[in-house]
Amino acid sequence: MMKKLSLITLLTFLPASWYFAQTTVFAYVKAEDGKPLESAEIDIQQSEDDVTADKIGYFQFVDLPPGHYLITISKQDFESKILEFDVTSDEKRKDLGVIVLNHHWGADAGVVLIDDSASDTDDGGSAMQPTVGLLSSGRDIFQNISAFELGAYWFRPRGVDNRYEDVIFNGVSMSKNDDGRIDFNNWGGLNDVTRYPHENVDNITPSEYAFGNLGGVAYYNTKASTYRKQTSLAYSFTNRSYLHRAMATYSSGMNKKGWAFTFSGSRRWGDNAVIDGVYQDSYAYFASVEKKFNDRHSINFTGFGSPTYRASNSPNTQEVYDIMGKNYNSYWGWQDGEKRNARIRKVFEPVFMLTDYLKIGKNSNWINTVSYQIGSDARSRLDWFHAADPNPTYYRKLPSYGLLSADEFREQSQIDWNYLYKTNYLNLKNMDGTDRGAVYTVVEDVNKDKTFNFASHFDTRLQDNWKLNINFNYQNLKSDNFRRIKDLLGGNFAYNLNSFNNDVQFNVDDTNVQVKAGDRTQYSYELLRSQYSLNISSEIDFSKWNIAASIFSSYSEAQREGHYRSGITRFRDNSKGKSHKYEALDAGIKGKITYKINGKNFIVYNGALFSLAPTLNEIYINPRAVDYVTPNVKNQIINSNDLSYILRGQILKMRLTGYYTTISNSTEISRYYADTTDEIGTSFNTLVNEAITNVSKRYAGLELGFDFKITPTFNAVGAASVGEYTYTSNANVSTFDDLNGFRGEEFWKGKANIKGYKVAGTPQKAFSFGLKYNSPKFWWVGASANYLMDQYLDFSALNKTPYLYTNPATNDPYEGVTPELIRQLTAQKKFDDQFMLNANAGKSFLLGKYRMGISLSVNNILNNRNYVTGGFEQGRLVNLLNAVEESERSIPHFGPKLWYDRGTTFFTNVYLRF
């Protein structure tokens, strides 16, 4: 009887408790323009059961008991919103209505352009210069901090530089064929339309639109209708590489006739922001026009370009910095009361694209793009003919050489343009009254590229949980490379003669050795390259597992066609005309496996094994003179693996990753002037082309990124990167110069002893900790402390070969050479660790249909000027006697060339959107 009564009692009270627990809370998440925000994350403070909005922006919480609740709604690239509500016992369903998220304009997402004016120098190879750009991931806290906090100090995640990153517009890669790097100048200033990539994957994670590389993929879809309908006006003031930036963008949205338009333009300009003699005047434009035929078919035209005019700043030795200060730049001087910089980069390479979008059936899409890029990239410099080097920091002019005191050096520490003009004026005529060529000129090294691309992307859902992607790409490049006279500096003409090699003609087929302004001089050649590539990827999703795989194969061929027949007899048959074709075949595989422990904890493995064909600069050791292929140049072999634990909790979001990457068969090219000695012992100054091949490197380390929610509006964020990037083998060294031709392993008697040396160009360890407050009233403030460790100087390979300590007269080591002495002379310099403090703040306002915002970010608040962002050894005087003398000098004649951080910099931005 008691059992029956208990059962009746339970059944009597159960419906009431069930009723009270059956409250369902629901809402819709939309953007400002009314579009649903799929995959918005909704965190509820009082429960672990967070949810994600579906395709129409809908979400719901079920079984919420009565009480007071607080939820945070967030989505990548949007301002988070905090909402409080109450659930009462008499509510079965509670409608929170439509929750609108506004785009977050506090910082530029997507591809982050780090100021690259320091990279416009040919004092050293590209590997010796700071990185140019970084890819930001948006949702991943480690990638965000790497880009916006540590990236300001040239930190490269996992040590990977621009060479291994991919930026793609509508299927077309923006990487350059000459060095494989991305030139962000091609769309610099177009932040409004390149802020949010359609796809952004990190590191070796497989992509839907490309096989990718080591540094991730950022894919942009410039379809006009994908941009939010609005007009945007913005102005920025900064002291980084320019002073002012103005931007305007208009997007129409899709009209009733099936047309959509997006237009954007900007200008960046200003001078002497921090470094003396640096100025910039750059414009940018973007146009996207879409015609929609029906719900399944549309075409889109995209055109964009960024005419850029920018002066560069010089790397300097420590002696020069000690005398002149960290803002010193040797590339400029006064002319008629104005600063004139000899190193000007003028680049304009517009891109035009036509993309066809086709939906096939319910589950398939086919996107095809044809593109054409044309334009030029010109970099100027001073040149001289049988005259003294006009560089104010030429080693004979430095106080350490003994000819000038520090005060005398200061008095002539800038280019003396009046002296150059005067010297040319005094040399207008020969003794017999005939015209004489200029002694000093300004020349430009010019690349004129014509690039045709065809890209095809097909994707389909084989099942609801199984997707297939196929990408095909074809590219054809014709690159015209030459030097031309930019300014005769008052002279009659210039001589097309090699003053560093007995005045031989650069082109023996042209009897006229006189060249005027605008004429080609010294070298002229074309590089031709075509490439076919196929990539297939697939992703399948199970309840506990997600598996993605990607494979690719490509074929490329390269060829040089010289326009000049060299006056140097031994190069004559290899300088003019078409060379043999250099062919390369690549293949690779990538995979990703995700194990879902539960809705908040994940284990992710990524693996990649692929080859990478050498770039044009790596194939031809000195294309300016001959068609010789770099000895031992090969395809790189890249093997990379990483394993991550990811936590996506309400209070704590975290990723911990271990990674291990090896690169073998790499080729590194450096070009610099050096004092050399020919076969009979005569000393000359000449341009040396240095190649180290069969290079092996290892990149290993740990990454940690976390976002800890102290309160719903107050977060602690941090990142730690502990890496070791090391050369793991000794490498072959070859050089080529006009005087000696090739000098290979048989001459240097061995390889460069670089095993154990560290990869330069980035701190190998970096830490960041920050606090940020996001107010529900749309203002924010944040600060971060950053610590950078293990930054190394890039080395000259010649200084690491047996040639350094071998007596050419006996072919034996010099007397007294010991392993300890060699280690002392060849030790790699490590820079001091540095601490940097950053801060940012902003506020947005909603004024009816108008949204206004202002933001300010400040880097290096403490004005730390001791941080070396990049540097390299000078590859000169490579013999034991000179090396010992240098090591014994308190101030070396040929100390390393360095770039220092610019100190406190700021960027403030104000916008109006309607």
Side-chain angles (χ1 to χ4, degrees):
M1 181 68 181
M2 291 298 297
K3 290 183 179 180
K4 290 183 180 180
L5 181 61
S6 299
L7 181 59
I8 294 172
T9 303
L10 177 62
L11 293 175
T12 302
F13 285 98
L14 182 59
S17 61
W18 193 309
Y19 174 83
F20 289 129
Q22 277 295 297
T23 303
T24 298
V25 176
F26 63 95
Y28 292 85
V29 185
K30 295 186 178 182
E32 297 161 292
D33 56 4
K35 291 184 178 180
L37 291 182
E38 180 183 359
S39 300
E41 296 181 359
I42 299 88
D43 294 341
I44 185 167
Q45 186 179 33
Q46 291 78 7
S47 172
E48 290 289 323
D49 297 325
D50 303 333
V51 297
T52 302
D54 62 16
K55 291 184 179 181
I56 60 173
Y58 177 81
F59 72 89
Q60 68 177 15
F61 291 98
V62 297
D63 296 341
L64 287 185
H68 182 74
Y69 292 91
L70 184 146
I71 60 173
T72 301
I73 305 96
S74 59
K75 182 173 172 60
Q76 177 181 350
D77 307 328
F78 288 82
E79 296 175 346
S80 297
K81 180 168 287 188
I82 299 170
L83 189 66
E84 295 183 72
F85 61 91
D86 293 300
V87 172
T88 61
S89 59
D90 59 347
E91 290 179 297
K92 191 169 184 179
R93 291 177 62 82
K94 187 177 187 67
D95 185 358
L96 300 181
V98 175
I99 302 172
V100 177
L101 298 188
N102 300 303
H103 275 79
H104 176 61
W105 305 107
D108 292 333
V111 175
V112 180
L113 174 60
I114 304 301
D115 172 41
D116 62 340
S117 57
S119 67
D120 294 333
T121 174
D122 51 7
D123 291 316
S126 60
M128 300 177 181
Q129 300 157 10
T131 188
V132 179
L134 296 169
L135 299 183
S136 168
S137 178
R139 289 303 295 170
D140 184 87
I141 186 63
F142 179 86
Q143 296 294 335
N144 272 343
I145 293 176
S146 297
F148 295 109
E149 304 295 340
L150 300 172
Y153 308 110
W154 314 106
F155 170 74
R156 302 196 305 241
R158 304 190 185 183
V160 174
D161 66 15
N162 186 270
R163 167 73 171 88
Y164 298 100
E165 295 173 355
D166 276 328
V167 175
I168 297 172
F169 280 81
N170 302 320
V172 176
S173 173
M174 294 292 108
S175 298
K176 294 295 185 180
N177 281 280
D178 55 352
D179 59 7
R181 298 177 182 272
I182 303 164
D183 190 351
F184 294 91
N185 288 285
N186 288 164
W187 63 92
L190 295 174
N191 302 65
D192 277 351
V193 292
T194 60
R195 181 173 279 109
Y196 304 116
H198 179 74
E199 181 192 50
N200 204 341
V201 299
D202 305 323
N203 306 309
I204 56 173
T205 302
S207 162
E208 292 186 15
Y209 297 93
F211 182 77
N213 209 309
L214 280 176
V217 175
Y219 179 92
Y220 290 94
N221 177 7
T222 63
K223 194 176 183 181
S225 61
T226 61
Y227 293 98
R228 190 171 68 263
K229 182 179 180 180
Q230 71 169 7
T231 298
S232 171
L233 304 173
Y235 169 77
S236 305
F237 181 66
T238 180
N239 69 336
R240 292 179 181 172
S241 60
Y242 52 84
L243 297 178
H244 311 279
R245 184 184 74 177
M247 292 194 302
T249 302
Y250 167 75
S251 294
S252 67
M254 184 64 68
N255 64 26
K256 295 180 180 180
K257 295 183 179 181
W259 289 94
F261 306 90
T262 295
F263 302 105
S264 185
S266 75
R267 184 189 179 195
R268 294 162 293 156
W269 73 100
D271 59 0
N272 297 328
V274 174
I275 304 298
D276 296 333
V278 173
Y279 43 86
Q280 180 171 346
D281 194 4
S282 303
Y283 293 82
Y285 64 84
F286 174 93
S288 179
V289 180
E290 179 185 356
K291 173 57 180 174
K292 181 179 179 181
F293 299 107
N294 52 54
D295 291 339
R296 293 182 171 273
H297 188 207
S298 65
I299 60 172
N300 194 94
F301 168 80
T302 302
F304 61 88
S306 182
T308 298
Y309 181 90
R310 189 183 68 236
S312 302
N313 65 285
S314 63
N316 303 295
T317 63
Q318 189 60 51
E319 176 186 9
V320 173
Y321 283 122
D322 290 341
I323 298 172
M324 301 301 301
K326 301 290 174 58
N327 294 339
Y328 173 70
N329 177 16
S330 68
Y331 288 163
W332 69 275
W334 293 101
Q335 181 180 342
D336 298 331
E338 295 184 359
K339 292 182 177 180
R340 180 179 179 182
N341 194 308
R343 300 289 186 99
I344 299 294
R345 185 180 182 192
K346 188 175 182 180
V347 56
F348 180 38
E349 298 177 307
V351 178
F352 306 96
M353 296 179 167
L354 188 64
T355 305
D356 182 84
Y357 298 88
L358 182 64
K359 186 172 182 61
I360 304 172
K362 294 182 179 180
N363 299 318
S364 303
N365 298 281
W366 191 17
I367 304 172
N368 294 282
T369 298
V370 291
S371 77
Y372 188 64
Q373 183 174 15
I374 191 171
S376 67
D377 186 350
R379 308 183 189 215
S380 68
R381 57 173 296 147
L382 280 170
D383 197 21
W384 56 98
F385 186 82
H386 293 303
D389 189 337
N391 178 8
T393 58
Y394 182 58
Y395 77 98
R396 294 176 183 270
K397 301 177 184 179
L398 296 178
S400 61
Y401 194 76
L403 297 179
L404 300 176
S405 67
D407 289 337
E408 290 171 329
F409 174 76
R410 290 189 189 95
E411 292 177 359
Q412 55 186 36
S413 58
Q414 305 301 150
I415 295 173
D416 190 344
W417 290 102
N418 292 331
Y419 170 79
L420 303 183
Y421 275 91
K422 183 179 179 180
T423 303
N424 280 346
Y425 177 77
L426 295 175
N427 285 274
L428 288 176
K429 299 291 183 180
N430 291 306
M431 295 294 293
D432 59 3
T434 57
D435 289 342
R436 186 176 181 182
V439 177
Y440 292 104
T441 58
V442 178
V443 296
E444 285 184 308
D445 294 308
V446 183
N447 295 78
K448 284 189 173 182
D449 288 354
K450 297 178 180 179
T451 309
F452 171 81
N453 287 278
F454 171 70
S456 182
H457 168 82
F458 175 80
D459 66 73
T460 186
R461 285 203 172 274
L462 303 175
Q463 296 181 15
D464 289 342
N465 65 334
W466 188 7
K467 188 174 184 180
L468 176 69
N469 308 287
I470 302 174
N471 300 295
F472 172 79
N473 295 82
Y474 168 73
Q475 183 178 83
N476 183 275
L477 167 74
K478 183 178 182 180
S479 179
D480 192 10
N481 300 264
F482 57 91
R483 177 171 286 181
R484 70 183 172 202
I485 302 294
K486 181 179 181 180
D487 192 340
L488 288 169
L489 303 179
N492 295 313
F493 57 84
Y495 292 110
N496 194 19
L497 300 174
N498 188 342
S499 62
F500 293 103
N501 197 343
N502 301 317
D503 289 350
V504 299
Q505 290 179 244
F506 283 107
N507 183 16
V508 294
D509 291 341
D510 188 355
T511 57
N512 180 18
V513 297
Q514 298 180 7
V515 287
K516 301 290 185 68
D519 291 345
R520 300 191 181 203
T521 183
Q522 300 186 25
Y523 70 88
S524 178
Y525 65 94
E526 289 179 343
L527 291 176
L528 312 173
R529 188 174 187 270
S530 60
Q531 181 180 25
Y532 306 82
S533 63
L534 178 66
N535 163 234
I536 301 174
S537 65
S538 184
E539 181 177 3
I540 188 166
D541 196 42
F542 301 103
S543 59
K544 284 286 187 179
W545 297 87
N546 176 277
I547 300 172
S550 180
I551 60 173
F552 100 106
S553 180
S554 74
Y555 167 79
S556 63
E557 53 185 30
Q559 190 174 33
R560 176 191 181 273
E561 182 174 3
H563 299 153
Y564 285 0
R565 192 180 308 277
S566 175
I568 302 175
T569 303
R570 61 184 170 199
F571 304 150
R572 198 160 293 175
D573 294 336
N574 295 91
S575 52
K576 188 175 183 178
K578 289 187 176 182
S579 68
H580 295 292
K581 290 183 178 180
Y582 181 91
E583 299 177 324
L585 182 64
D586 281 322
I589 184 169
K590 284 185 176 182
K592 176 183 178 182
I593 301 174
T594 302
Y595 174 65
K596 307 170 190 177
I597 301 174
N598 52 42
K600 298 181 183 295
N601 295 272
F602 305 85
I603 302 294
V604 181
Y605 165 77
N606 285 286
L609 176 63
F610 59 96
S611 62
L612 197 63
T615 65
L616 292 171
N617 279 357
E618 294 166 348
I619 294 171
Y620 300 104
I621 191 169
N622 185 16
R624 293 183 177 184
V626 292
D627 61 13
Y628 293 158
V629 173
T630 302
N632 301 312
V633 64
K634 300 175 183 177
N635 292 28
Q636 295 185 51
I637 304 298
I638 297 174
N639 187 352
S640 184
N641 298 269
D642 65 48
L643 183 65
S644 300
Y645 165 68
I646 299 174
L647 171 64
R648 293 177 181 169
Q650 176 191 352
I651 303 299
L652 176 63
K653 292 179 172 62
M654 182 189 72
R655 175 170 67 85
L656 175 64
T657 300
Y659 61 90
Y660 188 90
T661 299
T662 61
I663 301 177
S664 58
N665 293 342
S666 179
T667 297
E668 298 181 4
I669 304 291
S670 301
R671 296 180 173 93
Y672 50 85
Y673 281 96
D675 294 342
T676 63
T677 304
D678 67 7
E679 294 89 338
I680 60 175
T682 306
S683 179
F684 291 92
N685 293 332
T686 188
L687 177 65
V688 171
N689 303 270
E690 173 190 291
I692 55 175
T693 56
N694 293 338
V695 177
S696 296
K697 290 178 281 190
R698 180 183 64 237
Y699 301 78
L702 295 172
E703 294 174 340
L704 171 67
F706 69 86
D707 185 339
F708 180 73
K709 188 178 296 185
I710 301 172
T711 72
T713 57
F714 189 51
N715 290 44
V717 296
S721 176
V722 180
E724 185 179 64
Y725 319 136
T726 307
Y727 288 83
T728 56
S729 69
N730 295 325
N732 299 323
V733 179
S734 300
T735 64
F736 180 91
D737 62 74
D738 289 349
L739 303 175
N740 303 291
F742 270 117
R743 289 184 171 185
E745 184 178 350
E746 71 283 355
F747 181 85
W748 300 119
K749 302 183 181 65
K751 298 182 177 182
N753 298 311
I754 61 174
K755 185 177 181 179
Y757 279 67
K758 304 298 183 181
V759 176
T762 179
Q764 301 208 0
K765 297 179 178 64
F767 307 89
S768 180
F769 177 79
L771 297 171
K772 61 178 183 178
Y773 176 79
N774 284 293
S775 169
K777 296 183 179 180
F778 305 113
W779 63 270
W780 74 92
V781 63
S784 70
N786 306 280
Y787 196 69
L788 307 156
M789 301 175 60
D790 294 358
Q791 172 88 308
Y792 289 88
L793 182 72
D794 207 346
F795 55 83
S796 170
L798 284 184
N799 294 332
K800 311 300 179 285
T801 62
Y803 181 66
L804 173 69
Y805 51 84
T806 300
N807 187 335
T810 63
N811 289 331
D812 293 320
Y814 285 100
E815 185 177 352
V817 171
T818 63
E820 292 76 16
L821 177 61
I822 299 304
R823 282 194 293 269
Q824 175 188 339
L825 296 178
T826 60
Q828 188 178 23
K829 180 176 178 56
K830 179 182 177 182
F831 298 111
D832 294 336
D833 303 339
Q834 301 294 331
F835 175 79
M836 302 292 188
L837 189 64
N838 300 342
N840 63 85
K843 173 78 170 102
S844 61
F845 310 86
L846 187 60
L847 309 171
K849 294 183 178 180
Y850 295 84
R851 174 164 291 276
M852 182 179 178
I854 185 170
S855 63
L856 170 67
S857 63
V858 183
N859 291 335
N860 195 353
I861 295 175
L862 303 178
N863 197 32
N864 181 354
R865 300 303 305 272
N866 297 320
Y867 179 55
V868 177
T869 60
F872 56 91
E873 289 182 341
Q874 295 194 66
R876 303 182 63 135
L877 305 177
V878 188
N879 62 74
L880 183 71
L881 300 179
N882 292 126
V884 171
E885 289 179 1
E886 280 283 274
S887 68
E888 294 174 347
R889 293 190 180 101
S890 58
I891 303 177
H893 290 168
F894 301 102
K897 293 285 188 78
L898 308 173
W899 287 277
Y900 276 94
D901 186 78
R902 297 187 177 190
T904 302
T905 60
F906 66 88
F907 189 94
T908 183
N909 183 62
V910 59
Y911 69 82
L912 178 66
R913 306 184 191 278
F914 52 91

